[in-house]
């Protein structure tokens, strides 16, 4: 092998030893075996070699090509294995870690719903359930909201193609309860409700309510307020500022809105309370005689109170959550805080 060929072989071996990765190796391959590579150019110079030496030059250059190809291939295998090892090392996963360190837990809405169920069952209430798809009759008509009544606009509705609807409030579970139970009774009915409305920091199109209803002889506003007080004291575990103001709901008379002083801004005004300092939380009232009648209960003998707690807003106030959209975001960073 001529001096030139030997020199090239030494350079190639040294370059291959220094190659740190497959990209560097490919650059070396191009520099020696590419179209303008050192070995390729040298083999083209065979025409300048004296005729008597051409055969041996040709043989040497072919040997050098074979040697270069096998050295490059060998280094390629080594570097490939090295890169796979590095990748495995950097992407190593302990598949047992989630079992050891990250236990699942209940969503904050479920936690507070469970707490409310405990509070009310300890006062003798029973817990009722109902379907999320309801009849128009149970959701509106039995609650003294006939067709074309303007109060239907208060709860924009998702209708199903068969003429039913996604319940807009848990009050329809009252209707089912009245048909099933004989007075006196005390029930609560937690559940998911749906409204076709624009979403913002305090409004969702899918949210949770807890309905409550007590039917007995001589039920008054005093009974209603006492139950609401117990509920708020037990959930918040501290005194919270509330206000009661007249509110219109066709299924109660008189009707009230129980608002809570916004615990996000301390009452100074924010996006959750719409700068008012108050959050609508717990509408309530004495059950309208028409509703008792529709439930098969004689309003001359019995009276009752009912309320419809906005569960999402209650949880927001309890934990200082400043946007209702967090509840359904599916963001684990949110739920892991509770
Ligand atoms: C009702 O749904 C009545 N059925 C409540 C009721 C029951 C009144 C029994 C009287 C007697 P309202 O539409 O205001 O009322 O909703 C009740 C509560 O649900 C509100 O105070 C609020 O806390 C919550 N709420 C209402 N709309 C939304 C919404 N889009 N997103 C989140 N929470 C809401």
């Amino acid at each position: 092998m001529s001096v030139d060929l030997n020199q090239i072989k030494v350079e190639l071996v040294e370059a291959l030893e220094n190659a740190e990765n497959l990209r560097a190796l490919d650059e070396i391959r191009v520099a020696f075996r590419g179209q303008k590579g050192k070995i390729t150019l040298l083999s083209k110079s065979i025409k300048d070699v004296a005729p008597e030496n051409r055969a041996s030059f040709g043989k040497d250059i072919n040997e050098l090509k074979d040697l270069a190809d096998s050295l490059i291939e060998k280094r390629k295998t080594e570097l490939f294995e090295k890169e796979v090892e590095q990748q495995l090392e950097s992407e190593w996963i302990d598949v047992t870690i989630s079992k050891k360190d990250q236990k699942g837990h209940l969503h904050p809405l479920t936690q507070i719903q469970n707490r409310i169920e405990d509070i009310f069952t300890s006062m003798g209430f029973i817990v009722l359930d109902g379907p999320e798809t309801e009849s128009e009759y149970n959701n509106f008509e039995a609650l003294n909201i006939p067709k074309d009544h303007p109060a239907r606009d208060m709860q924009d509705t998702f209708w199903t193609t068969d003429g039913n609807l996604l319940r807009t409030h848990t009050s329809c579970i009252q209707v089912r309860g009245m048909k099933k139970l004989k007075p006196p009774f005390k029930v609560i009915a937690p559940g998911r409700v749906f409204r076709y409305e624009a979403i913002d920091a305090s409004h969702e199109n899918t949210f949770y309510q807890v309905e409550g209803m007590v039917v007995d002889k001589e039920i008054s506003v005093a009974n209603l307020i006492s139950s609401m007080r117990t509920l708020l004291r037990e959930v918040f575990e501290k005194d919270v500022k509330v206000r009661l103001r007249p509110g219109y709901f066709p299924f109660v008379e008189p009707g009230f809105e129980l608002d809570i002083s916004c615990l996000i801004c301390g009452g100074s005004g924010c996006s959750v309370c719409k700068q008012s300092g108050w959050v609508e939380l717990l509408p309530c009232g004495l059950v309208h005689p028409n509703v008792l009648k529709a439930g098969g209960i004689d309003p001359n003998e019995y009276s009752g109170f009912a309320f419809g707690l906005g569960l999402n807003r209650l949880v927001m106030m309890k934990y200082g959550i400043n946007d209702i959209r967090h509840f359904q975001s599916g963001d684990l960073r949110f739920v892991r805080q509770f």
Side-chain angles (χ1 to χ4, degrees), residues 155 169 171 195 197 204 207 209 211 280 283 308 310 313 324:
Q155 299 184 0
H169 51 181
S171 297
R195 292 194 194 170
E197 59 177 86
E204 257 293 0
F207 58 100
Q209 291 185 338
E211 192 75 9
E280 277 180 18
R313 292 196 192 156
I324 198 168

Side-chain angles (χ1 to χ4, degrees), residues 205-239:
N205 54 26
T206 302
F207 58 100
Y208 290 79
Q209 291 185 338
V210 180
E211 192 75 9
M213 186 184 215
V214 171
V215 176
D216 203 339
K217 294 187 174 163
E218 296 178 5
I219 290 293
S220 70
V221 174
N223 300 116
L224 165 65
I225 292 175
S226 143
S227 297
M228 300 302 92
R229 274 219 181 108
T230 308
L231 166 66
L232 295 175
R233 193 182 53 237
E234 293 292 321
V235 170
F236 285 104
E237 297 168 295
K238 63 176 182 185
D239 281 337

Side-chain angles (χ1 to χ4, degrees), residues 98-134:
S98 59
K99 281 191 189 153
K100 273 193 289 183
D101 295 346
Q102 292 176 11
K103 286 197 186 125
H105 65 80
L106 296 177
H107 191 280
L109 284 169
T110 315
Q111 291 181 30
I112 298 298
Q113 181 184 318
N114 289 350
R115 176 80 192 108
I116 290 171
E117 288 181 15
D118 286 348
I119 294 166
F120 279 102
T121 50
S122 76
M123 295 193 284
F125 283 67
I126 57 168
V127 182
L128 292 184
D129 198 6
E132 290 179 347
T133 309
E134 256 299 2

Side-chain angles (χ1 to χ4, degrees), residues 201-202 264 270-272 316 319-326 334:
S202 56
I264 308 290
C270 66
S271 59
V272 173
M316 289 170 79
Y319 292 122
I321 297 164
N322 63 4
D323 198 312
I324 198 168
R325 289 165 284 206
H326 287 307
F334 170 71

